[in-house]
Amino acid sequence: MATKKELFKYTLSRLALLPIMLWIISSLVFILLRIAPGDPVDAILGTRANEFARESLRMKLGLDKPLINQYLEYINHLLHGNLGISLNTQEPVKVIISRALPASMELAIFAILIASLVGYLIGFLGAVKPEGKIDFWGRLFGIGTYALPPFWAAMLIQIIFAVLLGWLPIGGRLPPGLSPPAPFTGFLLLDSLLNNKIEIFISSFKHLILPSLTLGILLSGIFSRSLRLNLEEVLKKDYIEAAKSRGINETRLLVRHALPNTLLPILTITGLTVSSLIGGALLIEITFSWPGIALGLQEAINQRDYAVVQGIVVVISSLVVVISVVVDIAIAYIDPRVSY
Amino acid sequence: MLKQDYINNIIKISSIFLFLLQFSCAQHKEREHIVVASAGKIESLDPAQANTLRTLQILSALGDTLYKLNKEGNLSPILASGLPIASKDGLIIDIPLKENISFHDGSIFNAQAMKFSLDRFMKIGTLNYLLNDKIEAIEVKDEFLLRIKLKKPSSSLKSLLTSVNLTPISPNSYSNYKDKFNNKSFIGTGPYLLENFSSNQQIIKPFKNYWGKKPLNKGIDFINYSNSSTLFGAIKAKEVDVLISNSIDDMQRLTLNNMVKKKKLNSGEGEPIEIGYITFKSNNLPLRNKTIREALSYTIDRELISRQVSFGTREPLRSIVPPQLHKKELFPWPKYDPNFARSLLKKEGYCEGNILTIPLTFRSNVPADKLLALTWKDQIKRDLSDCIKITLNGIESTTVYKQLSEGAFEAVILDWTGAYPDPEAYLNPLLSCNEIKNNTCLKGEAVFSGSFWGNNEVQELLDKSEELEGEIRLKNLIKVEQLAAKGSAYLPVWLVNPKAWSLRDISQPEFSRDGLIILKNLKRD
């Protein structure tokens, strides 16, 4: 049984591993980027620039130094919380990430909300009446959404709701001509409310619907299937039979006795999904031109913008570790049987 | 009873659907600004850093150039008050400037401002080698007279002065940016001034004190989407007013062109500035053999490829310079003739059991390249399967560019857009070479282009053309192209016209000679 002390020790050990893990990841990214063909000078100048121009830029960007010096400098900056300057735009990487990460997080939060609402509801209803109509269609929905290629689903939703029906905007985070409010949090919905810009709030909400709905529906299949399977298993347990024989009504049985015991795997799956979405949903962001972190990372890789790629990977990795630690702690609180 | 319930339900659902449809229609409000969409982000508005068509497009509205090329292809003064005056030895060029022109920040445009802009570009510009190779010094001769001292005579410099990259910027506003980029603002002399900038959206509005013809619209909102489908959907859904053709897939181009035919959209087309071609690496066998390269130049059915790959939207091309720059029709490369190709290959011992294998590389992130590679491969299989076999290899473009000069590719599909509308901007980057040994280029542009093909006569003619002017210069450059066709190190395939589509209530987009939309002429009816 997990005691508070054990849990605390576990949390500390996980957090202590964080710097080591980040060092390994950042070193790997550093090495892999240098091994990959193409360098930022090519991306910025093109291949036609003469040797003098290329060398000048290489010196300016610090790429003329020996690799080991570049590495040590990079690690030193990282230790001081400095993610560096974009080789392409000369903007601090921190600024680039602080602009793109909230966009991805906003999308992720809404997608998880939609996925949870739709997926868990379908899964719950299916498990309550196995082999019924809802269960049949629910399972079909689960398999279907899991099997759908995200880019195809996204384009289909775009064509139907934005092009044919014209109900919602086709892409981006704001309509043309509308400038974002002063950034407090980076979350457009929140910032527009804090700035009292209702028009921007409504517009940004409309822009959020299609990408989050697409992502939410695609994720809801996994959610519904996992809840249904776990709930079905729990409902077959002896203590549920015993409760039934004591005459406890069905709703109370489900809500008070069965559901809490399915939360453990559900929380794990939700946690894993949140972790994976922190890094952005690349195909959704590309299709809907959503200016998130995944789109930024893809562009930075194309440009061989070493500093931006390294910065994004380090930040995302840290967040993923922190989220998984939080999920572990939550699981330990929910289920006292878990030992560490 | 059950049937009646069904009917009632259908009526209810249809009513809701119709209501929502009405609601959606009511969303399309009349826009004041014209919304222009294109692919990709814009990270910097600094003319010293701009190298993408979308950035140059905005800069062309925010700034003016010293000259532009008119419809006849001759220099026409914009910020200059007259044509450049060259000294007898061709080493000094004087440019008189217009007076009473102000920058967006209110400061005066004069020779000092122009010198500041050119010096800055030569110092930090990403394409500064274009000027640094030619210019010795820039001097202010008078308040409105600029003097350019050259290292050697250069007739191509005049065309360079039409480049948007050399648009003047205000020395006052850029005093802190003498040796670094100013990415998010722009202070120039153009018909528009920048109101708002982000990498995904840029808003410009008319500059009230503009010296020239005022814009016909109330402002332009540029919006950048990340993929072709979203751009295509955006104009169909009327979310944008004008769509620029860069990065629009050929299938969607065709649909848009069909919409134009049905009078659902307007369209405008500029003169072609982008060429698509195949480079053959000429310093290794088997392609070191000139006859084999020549045979390959007879194997490509450009008409078929244009039809299959681009539905006819890309024009077949048999030269490496867009035809309008030569001012006459010119076809230095041969027509498709598989029988002649077979006879040449037989001469070299191929066919009849000995098949020539050509590994063809294409950029995997460029859909048209992949389709071109597949179509050529199948066409060779159809016509010359007893002589040639093409194997395909898709590589991401950044890697292709990096490995090109390392000689990694036997044959590779590429494209090229000249930095300024002049034949030299196409010939030099593909053909010029500083060190030639046995028809192999050891150092120079031909190495960067991946062909490694060098020819002393070509180099002499290229050097000579810098000292020539007018018709004689053009004839000289045509000779260069004819020699390049004989060398067969490149195989031109197609020509791409810049195009734009607009909604019916927007005027037809017009293009300048450098392939950019003239934004100030766009208007809402």
Side-chain angles (χ1 to χ4, degrees):
Chain A
M1 190 176 280
T3 62
K4 275 186 182 173
K5 200 178 167 188
E6 279 171 338
L7 183 63
F8 183 68
K9 265 172 74 182
Y10 169 76
T11 310
L12 273 187
S13 66
R14 287 291 300 268
L15 290 175
L17 280 175
L18 182 65
I20 298 167
M21 217 181 71
L22 285 181
W23 171 66
I24 294 171
I25 291 171
S26 50
S27 303
L28 269 177
V29 176
F30 182 90
I31 294 163
L32 288 174
L33 277 171
R34 266 72 182 178
I35 291 172
D39 66 20
V41 175
D42 284 329
I44 296 168
L45 291 184
T47 49
R48 303 288 169 171
N50 60 33
E51 217 32 59
F52 177 73
R54 301 165 75 79
E55 272 316 304
S56 309
L57 187 63
R58 205 163 266 135
M59 270 173 70
K60 199 172 138 190
L61 300 177
L63 299 171
D64 59 323
K65 294 175 191 163
L67 263 188
I68 186 72
N69 290 13
Q70 288 184 44
Y71 175 73
L72 291 174
E73 202 173 299
Y74 161 61
I75 293 291
N76 182 33
H77 282 160
L78 211 57
L79 286 172
H80 290 90
N82 179 0
L83 295 175
I85 304 279
S86 160
L87 303 181
N88 192 31
T89 62
Q90 300 294 305
E91 226 178 344
V93 176
K94 259 184 203 167
V95 174
I96 294 173
I97 294 176
S98 65
R99 210 168 38 220
L101 190 60
S104 284
M105 286 174 79
E106 202 169 57
L107 177 61
I109 290 167
F110 274 80
I112 295 278
L113 275 177
I114 292 168
S116 305
L117 275 174
V118 176
Y120 292 143
L121 184 70
I122 292 174
F124 180 76
L125 294 175
V128 171
K129 280 188 181 166
E131 308 305 325
K133 260 188 184 176
I134 295 178
D135 187 34
F136 173 77
W137 288 110
R139 277 190 292 165
L140 205 66
F141 173 80
I143 295 166
T145 52
Y146 190 64
L148 271 182
F151 70 92
W152 185 81
M155 281 166 79
L156 196 71
I157 285 182
Q158 222 177 20
I159 289 169
I160 294 171
F161 293 101
V163 179
L164 296 178
L165 296 170
W167 290 353
L168 291 160
I170 196 153
R173 225 174 155 200
L174 272 180
L178 211 56
S179 305
F184 289 119
T185 62
F187 293 88
L188 213 47
L189 290 178
L190 217 54
D191 285 346
S192 51
L193 285 179
L194 290 172
N195 283 285
N196 206 16
K197 306 256 183 185
I198 299 302
E199 189 195 358
I200 295 178
F201 176 81
I202 294 169
S203 290
S204 58
F205 184 69
K206 277 184 187 171
H207 279 76
L208 186 60
I209 293 175
L210 283 189
S212 58
L213 193 72
T214 312
L215 194 55
I217 286 174
L218 289 173
L219 291 172
S220 64
I222 312 168
F223 286 18
S224 75
R225 281 177 69 75
S226 63
L227 182 70
R228 186 197 171 277
L229 284 173
N230 285 301
L231 193 56
E232 197 182 17
E233 213 169 283
V234 169
L235 287 172
K236 286 176 190 161
K237 298 269 181 190
D238 290 345
Y239 68 87
I240 298 289
E241 291 298 324
K244 269 186 198 169
S245 63
R246 285 204 303 274
I248 295 173
N249 78 47
E250 208 170 328
T251 316
R252 189 179 161 84
L253 191 82
L254 274 168
V255 177
R256 296 291 297 272
H257 296 267
L259 259 186
N261 287 303
T262 61
L263 276 182
L264 199 65
I266 299 303
L267 197 65
T268 311
I269 286 172
T270 312
L272 283 173
T273 313
V274 171
S275 300
S276 68
L277 286 184
I278 287 300
L282 180 63
L283 291 174
I284 300 293
E285 287 186 7
I286 288 179
T287 311
F288 289 100
S289 298
W290 189 261
I293 201 93
L295 196 60
L297 183 60
Q298 188 230 14
E299 280 161 2
I301 291 171
N302 285 344
Q303 295 274 334
R304 300 291 190 272
D305 197 331
Y306 297 157
V308 176
V309 177
Q310 287 161 181
I312 290 178
V313 172
V314 167
V315 169
I316 298 299
S317 312
S318 316
L319 284 173
V320 169
V321 173
V322 170
I323 288 170
S324 62
V325 170
V326 169
V327 171
D328 283 348
I329 296 168
I331 287 170
Y333 268 109
I334 290 167
D335 192 342
R337 289 168 302 177
V338 175
S339 61
Y340 294 95
Chain B
M1 193 61 188
L2 197 67
K3 205 175 169 185
Q4 185 62 44
D5 281 350
Y6 266 124
I7 292 167
N8 284 340
N9 284 338
I10 288 168
I11 291 171
K12 274 180 203 165
I13 291 166
S14 307
S15 310
I16 293 167
F17 187 78
L18 279 172
F19 170 75
L20 290 172
L21 213 58
Q22 289 307 307
F23 171 71
S24 75
C25 293
Q27 277 189 331
H28 296 297
K29 279 189 274 180
E30 183 73 17
R31 286 187 283 254
E32 263 207 342
H33 281 201
I34 291 176
V35 181
V36 177
S38 73
K41 281 182 178 179
I42 292 177
E43 300 285 10
S44 169
L45 276 183
D46 196 312
Q49 201 184 16
N51 57 6
T52 60
L53 197 67
R54 53 185 178 270
T55 313
L56 295 175
Q57 181 66 69
I58 297 188
L59 285 177
S60 72
L62 294 169
D64 290 313
T65 50
L66 283 174
Y67 296 95
K68 70 169 184 178
L69 287 176
N70 60 22
K71 281 177 186 168
E72 291 75 40
N74 300 320
L75 276 188
S76 158
I78 302 294
L79 287 175
S81 62
L83 291 173
I85 305 153
S87 63
K88 274 184 184 170
D89 58 4
L91 290 173
I92 291 173
I93 292 178
D94 283 337
I95 299 170
L97 303 176
K98 281 196 176 109
E99 296 179 26
N100 302 321
I101 291 176
S102 62
F103 284 104
H104 300 157
D105 61 0
S107 57
I108 297 297
F109 166 75
N110 53 21
Q112 192 59 50
M114 197 66 227
K115 175 181 157 55
F116 172 85
S117 308
L118 292 177
D119 280 341
R120 181 176 178 270
F121 183 87
M122 286 172 69
K123 193 173 180 190
I124 63 166
T126 50
L127 297 172
N128 60 4
Y129 55 92
L130 290 172
L131 289 189
N132 291 350
D133 289 348
K134 296 180 166 75
I135 295 177
E136 179 71 48
I138 294 164
E139 291 174 1
V140 175
K141 195 72 187 134
D142 193 358
E143 194 182 354
F144 294 100
L145 185 66
L146 188 77
R147 172 163 286 184
I148 299 177
K149 285 186 172 171
L150 301 177
K151 289 177 180 167
K152 55 183 181 183
S154 170
S155 52
S156 61
L157 183 80
K158 290 171 190 166
S159 297
L160 248 171
L161 296 176
T162 65
S163 169
V164 180
N165 289 104
L166 304 183
T167 180
I169 46 172
S170 161
N172 284 356
S173 297
Y174 283 74
S175 57
N176 292 331
Y177 295 95
K178 276 179 194 163
D179 46 17
K180 61 179 178 184
F181 296 128
N182 181 3
N183 293 326
K184 294 187 173 173
S185 69
F186 181 87
I187 305 294
T189 61
Y192 291 91
L193 51 88
L194 185 69
E195 191 174 63
N196 189 286
F197 175 83
S198 75
S199 57
N200 298 308
Q201 195 182 125
Q202 306 81 38
I203 302 171
I204 60 175
K205 64 177 187 185
F207 175 39
K208 280 179 189 160
N209 298 328
Y210 184 58
W211 60 275
K213 187 186 152 195
K214 300 270 192 302
L216 300 174
N217 52 61
K218 291 179 180 171
I220 307 271
D221 295 348
F222 284 95
I223 188 148
N224 314 112
Y225 289 130
S226 55
N227 66 83
S228 174
S229 303
T230 307
L231 286 163
F232 174 71
I235 197 157
K236 278 198 86 174
K238 299 185 178 176
E239 275 188 40
V240 301
D241 296 307
V242 179
L243 179 58
I244 300 177
S245 67
N246 68 324
S247 301
I248 298 287
D249 288 349
D250 289 300
M251 185 65 154
Q252 285 158 349
R253 276 176 190 243
L254 179 74
T255 313
L256 290 166
N257 289 345
N258 287 338
M259 288 172 76
V260 174
K261 279 181 196 159
K262 289 177 188 167
K263 296 196 185 308
K264 288 181 179 170
L265 291 176
N266 291 324
S267 77
E269 196 168 85
E271 285 180 335
I273 50 164
E274 183 189 318
I275 60 162
Y277 64 95
I278 298 169
T279 296
F280 297 126
K281 191 174 72 145
S282 67
N283 61 346
N284 268 341
L285 287 172
L287 293 178
R288 189 177 184 163
N289 184 334
K290 191 184 151 243
T291 314
I292 294 179
R293 297 201 305 268
E294 194 186 345
L296 286 173
S297 66
Y298 284 94
T299 61
I300 193 158
D301 186 348
R302 294 179 181 83
E303 275 74 21
L304 174 89
I305 285 173
S306 168
R307 266 198 321 274
Q308 298 274 17
V309 177
S310 73
F311 312 97
T313 56
R314 291 164 194 250
E315 206 180 307
L317 177 70
R318 288 201 280 132
S319 60
I320 51 174
V321 172
Q324 80 277 2
L325 299 180
H326 278 316
K327 297 182 182 173
K328 66 176 182 181
E329 292 265 305
L330 189 72
F331 307 108
W333 266 261
K335 267 187 180 171
Y336 164 61
D337 188 345
N339 293 329
F340 190 66
R342 183 179 282 108
S343 69
L344 286 174
L345 288 169
K346 273 184 180 173
K347 225 191 275 179
E348 297 302 314
Y350 289 99
C351 312
E352 294 162 352
N354 186 16
I355 294 175
L356 169 71
T357 303
I358 302 286
L360 175 65
T361 304
F362 62 88
R363 294 166 296 176
S364 52
N365 53 327
V366 182
D369 281 15
K370 189 178 180 179
L371 290 173
L372 164 59
L374 285 167
T375 315
W376 193 34
K377 183 188 173 189
D378 277 359
Q379 182 233 305
I380 294 266
K381 202 174 163 187
R382 186 193 67 187
D383 302 334
L384 288 155
S385 58
D386 54 329
C387 299
I388 308 173
K389 186 185 170 194
I390 288 189
T391 56
L392 300 183
N393 184 23
I395 299 178
E396 175 238 1
S397 54
T398 315
T399 307
V400 170
Y401 300 140
K402 177 65 185 172
Q403 296 187 334
L404 207 53
S405 57
E406 292 162 12
F409 312 114
E410 292 293 317
V412 55
I413 302 171
L414 294 166
D415 58 49
W416 180 249
T417 304
Y420 45 93
D422 186 87
E424 193 244 7
Y426 292 82
L427 297 174
N428 245 330
L430 295 183
L431 304 171
S432 88
C433 184
N434 305 331
E435 201 180 327
I436 301 167
K437 197 178 172 186
N438 298 331
N439 275 339
T440 296
C441 179
L442 302 175
K443 206 175 160 189
E445 297 293 323
V447 173
F448 290 119
S449 69
S451 76
F452 297 86
W453 183 74
N455 182 296
N456 288 316
E457 198 183 345
V458 164
Q459 194 52 46
E460 278 164 26
L461 288 167
L462 281 173
D463 290 342
K464 198 177 157 196
S465 72
E466 283 286 42
E467 297 162 19
L468 303 173
E469 295 278 350
E471 281 298 312
I472 307 169
R473 179 173 175 265
L474 271 186
K475 273 184 188 167
N476 198 61
L477 292 173
I478 286 171
K479 185 93 196 328
V480 169
E481 210 180 344
Q482 282 163 342
L483 285 169
K486 276 188 190 163
S488 306
Y490 299 96
L491 182 57
V493 180
W494 58 37
L495 203 54
V496 185
N497 293 50
K499 195 160 181 170
W501 297 269
S502 63
L503 297 181
R504 289 291 287 176
D505 62 339
I506 303 290
S507 62
Q508 187 182 24
E510 295 169 38
F511 281 84
S512 60
R513 286 267 302 188
D514 44 10
L516 302 172
I517 300 180
I518 305 169
L519 292 164
K520 66 179 181 182
N521 288 359
L522 286 174
K523 63 174 179 185
R524 199 181 288 280
D525 292 333

